[in-house]
Amino acid sequence: MDDILKLDAETYKELMKRYMETRDEQSLYEVEQASKSFIQNNILPDEIVNMHIQALEELYPSLSEDIQYSMNFLLEAMIAYGIAHQEYQTLREKQSELKSEISVAASMQETLLGTTKPDIEGIDIGIISVPAHQMNGDYHHFIKGRDGSLGIAMADVIGKGIPAALCMSMIKYSMDSYPEDVMSPKAILNSLNRVVERNVDPSMFITMFYAQYLPSEHKLRYASAGHEPGYYYNAANDTFEEIETKGLVLGVTPDTAYPEYEMDINKDDMVIMLTDGVTECRDGDRFIESEEVLEVIRYYAHLPAQEMVNQVFKHFERLQEFELRDDFTLLIIRREV
Amino acid sequence: MNLSVDVVEETNKSIVNLAGEIDAYTAPELKEALLPLTKQSGHLVEVDLEQVNYMDSTGLGIFISALKSTKENNSQMTLVNIQDRVLRLFKITGLDEIMDINSAIRGGSE
């Protein structure tokens, strides 16, 4: 460190000498470059003033005492800046530590909340979930029942970031603990509502759409706790319909009841589930309307479900001023036979 | 984006006039202004959302905590002049059925 300082002091003196003699732009440019390397080498402002004093004394031994005193005065004035700079360095180190801790937490979240897209004959499933920040506040989960049914939970925690992610683990483990005979959509939402109401901060809440697909009867049972409505694609008519549901978000009042609905799914029909990150997409100042999302889905409808959801996300990502403000999750199931 | 929060005090009633966007960045400001008002027993808090053209789910979270606070503190909250886009959020989440919401003056379609 002292060596670097000595070397820098020498460079500084030489540059200053040249500048005083020639007043050339080149010296000014070089000292600017040198100041960048001072910062890199952690040389504090008062040390630079000190270099300046030494250079002055060596170059102009007969300099008036007044100027020398004034330089010492300046030296004192710079000391607080030096301390502030050191604090800044420490904060930068702390920040990078935190960043790596968060990324550990994010990968742990992925492990904890991991779910595998099940392979079920006769239905094609596509899912994409992209977090807006490091940790995802959206959540989806597949549960394969012994009776061949498929349970699909799609949820969004409000409150973003780390608290939201932690909250999701709670939801997942509550769901895992339910015995299979109470896996009806309304029973699940009823009991999750109590879990959330008891355990979560009042300004945080969770929306969830829970669907159960019965492949043998080609029926979909579902209930919603204030979740962004999904869509049903009727292949015979080539139309989309919003899936209308009633039901309060989880965690607001303990005694909420969730009505359950049922619909028939015909060949090539699709069920689309999403989070508000999809419908709240923006292109600059413009909101992307849900009609536009559906048009894009229709455009890619000839593809297998997984490719379809990937292409839909890519489509929005390509928009010029696209900005992902919220976590984006899109799931599509299609009945194949 | 910005949110302006302007509170007018009347006898036993506060009118909170909001203008701008309510999102993760502006929500803390709303929370700070709104929650203390709901803690006065018997008080009516009227929130005017006519000038709010965007709200995300963070904003809903604030209104939910305010609603819970009115129940704990025996005060009342009413939301007035909600625009369609914002009202949609209250409808999807089922909150329109448990909150006192009046969209009739302008912007609401029902």
Side-chain angles (χ1 to χ4, degrees), chain A residues 222-233:
Chain A
Y222 55 96
S224 171
H227 194 79
E228 185 69 28
Y231 294 89
Y232 162 68
Y233 173 73

Side-chain angles (χ1 to χ4, degrees), chain A residues 25-313:
Chain A
E25 289 283 324
Q26 182 61 23
S27 308
L28 287 179
Y29 171 74
E30 282 178 36
V31 76
E32 191 195 319
Q33 295 302 310
S35 96
K36 284 180 189 158
S37 93
F38 294 162
I39 289 176
Q40 266 176 9
N41 294 330
N42 247 333
I43 292 176
L44 303 177
D46 46 305
E47 286 169 335
I48 296 172
V49 174
N50 207 16
M51 272 180 214
H52 190 78
I53 294 174
Q54 278 174 18
L56 269 183
E57 281 170 355
E58 284 170 37
L59 293 174
Y60 307 98
S62 57
L63 201 65
S64 106
E65 272 197 339
D66 286 350
I67 291 190
Q68 289 182 21
Y69 284 131
S70 83
M71 293 311 289
N72 289 339
F73 191 78
L74 177 61
L75 187 64
E76 288 302 316
M78 297 315 288
I79 284 177
Y81 280 93
I83 295 170
H85 177 72
Q86 280 174 322
E87 276 171 10
Y88 164 77
Q89 289 294 343
T90 319
L91 280 177
R92 272 182 64 152
E93 279 162 27
K94 278 208 180 125
Q95 193 210 18
S96 86
E97 265 172 43
L98 270 179
K99 240 187 168 169
S100 73
E101 271 184 42
I102 293 174
S103 77
V104 171
S107 71
M108 184 146 173
Q109 182 200 16
E110 265 184 49
T111 318
L112 283 175
L113 298 182
T115 184
T116 325
K117 189 173 78 173
D119 235 343
I120 293 180
E121 219 178 275
I123 57 173
D124 183 20
I125 304 171
I127 169 78
I128 185 168
S129 187
V130 185
H133 303 287
Q134 265 186 296
M135 296 185 87
N136 200 339
D138 282 358
Y139 170 65
H140 65 278
H141 190 52
F142 296 104
I143 303 163
K144 223 170 143 178
R146 269 193 296 269
D147 56 355
S149 72
L150 170 67
I152 305 161
M154 171 148 311
D156 185 0
V157 187
I158 285 78
K160 296 182 173 66
I162 297 176
L166 293 176
C167 190
M168 265 316 161
S169 312
M170 179 179 82
I171 293 290
K172 178 188 172 186
Y173 288 103
S174 315
M175 269 197 310
D176 280 349
S177 70
Y178 299 142
E180 206 173 293
D181 52 335
V182 295
M183 290 303 256
S184 81
K186 75 175 179 204
I188 284 184
L189 294 183
N190 276 337
S191 72
L192 283 180
N193 179 52
R194 283 193 298 273
V195 172
V196 177
E197 206 270 334
R198 276 184 215 150
N199 297 295
V200 175
D201 174 84
S203 68
M204 203 143 103
F205 64 88
I206 298 167
T207 71
M208 181 181 280
F209 186 84
Y210 192 93
Q212 194 181 26
Y213 185 71
L214 311 165
S216 51
E217 301 163 51
H218 305 297
K219 279 188 193 309
L220 188 80
R221 292 194 186 127
Y222 55 96
S224 171
H227 194 79
E228 185 69 28
Y231 294 89
Y232 162 68
Y233 173 73
N234 182 321
N237 303 334
D238 187 26
T239 52
F240 288 97
E241 289 162 30
E242 189 172 295
I243 300 177
E244 283 182 28
T245 52
K246 279 204 173 290
L248 187 60
V249 293
L250 300 173
V252 178
T253 57
D255 48 0
T256 311
Y258 293 95
E260 188 170 296
Y261 307 83
E262 191 177 276
M263 67 163 96
D264 291 320
I265 307 292
N266 296 308
K267 186 175 175 312
D268 295 328
D269 285 357
M270 295 191 280
V271 175
I272 296 144
M273 299 181 201
L274 35 79
T275 58
D276 60 0
V278 179
T279 45
E280 297 270 305
C281 270
R282 281 196 193 192
D283 179 18
D285 269 342
R286 185 181 72 93
F287 286 99
I288 291 161
E289 301 292 338
S290 31
E291 286 75 27
E292 196 175 331
V293 179
L294 297 178
E295 276 318 303
V296 179
I297 291 176
R298 191 198 300 268
Y299 182 80
Y300 290 112
H302 59 284
L303 297 172
Q306 188 57 48
E307 234 168 282
M308 200 188 328
V309 294
N310 292 348
Q311 289 300 332
V312 171
F313 179 71

Side-chain angles (χ1 to χ4, degrees), chain A residues 320-331:
Chain A
Q320 209 165 18
E321 285 186 80
F322 176 73
E323 175 195 0
L324 194 59
R325 286 192 156 205
D326 199 352
D327 309 324
F328 180 111
T329 302
L330 176 66
L331 182 147

Side-chain angles (χ1 to χ4, degrees), chain A residues 158 228 246 251 280 287, chain B residues 54 57 68 85 88 93 97:
Chain A
I158 285 78
E228 185 69 28
K246 279 204 173 290
E280 297 270 305
F287 286 99
Chain B
Y54 173 80
S57 38
K68 285 183 173 175
R85 177 175 277 281
R88 177 178 174 271
T93 48
E97 300 198 356

Side-chain angles (χ1 to χ4, degrees), chain B residues 7-10 12-16 37 43-46:
Chain B
V7 182
V8 182
E9 293 293 348
E10 293 180 5
N12 295 328
K13 179 178 171 184
S14 303
I15 301 171
V16 183
L37 298 175
H43 202 68
L44 172 66
V45 184
E46 185 182 292

Side-chain angles (χ1 to χ4, degrees), chain B:
Chain B
M1 292 302 162
N2 284 321
L3 175 72
S4 86
V5 182
D6 172 46
V7 182
V8 182
E9 293 293 348
E10 293 180 5
T11 327
N12 295 328
K13 179 178 171 184
S14 303
I15 301 171
V16 183
N17 292 303
L18 301 177
E21 301 198 350
I22 309 175
D23 59 19
Y25 301 101
T26 61
E29 193 184 338
L30 172 62
K31 188 174 183 176
E32 224 167 86
L34 187 60
L35 281 194
L37 298 175
T38 60
K39 295 204 166 120
Q40 310 164 42
S41 173
H43 202 68
L44 172 66
V45 184
E46 185 182 292
V47 185
D48 191 325
L49 291 151
E50 185 171 0
Q51 305 295 325
V52 173
N53 44 36
Y54 173 80
M55 180 170 90
D56 73 4
S57 38
T58 332
L60 276 185
I62 306 295
F63 286 111
I64 291 177
S65 359
L67 178 76
K68 285 183 173 175
S69 168
T70 59
K71 287 186 176 158
E72 281 162 20
N73 296 288
N74 193 30
S75 58
Q76 264 185 298
M77 176 174 71
T78 166
L79 310 182
V80 300
N81 302 333
I82 301 192
Q83 304 229 6
D84 278 346
R85 177 175 277 281
V86 177
L87 183 64
R88 177 178 174 271
L89 259 179
F90 282 95
K91 284 189 172 163
I92 288 174
T93 48
L95 291 167
D96 61 324
E97 300 198 356
I98 60 164
M99 281 188 187
D100 184 8
I101 294 178
N102 156 15
S103 62
I105 300 181
R106 209 206 73 176
S109 56
E110 286 182 341

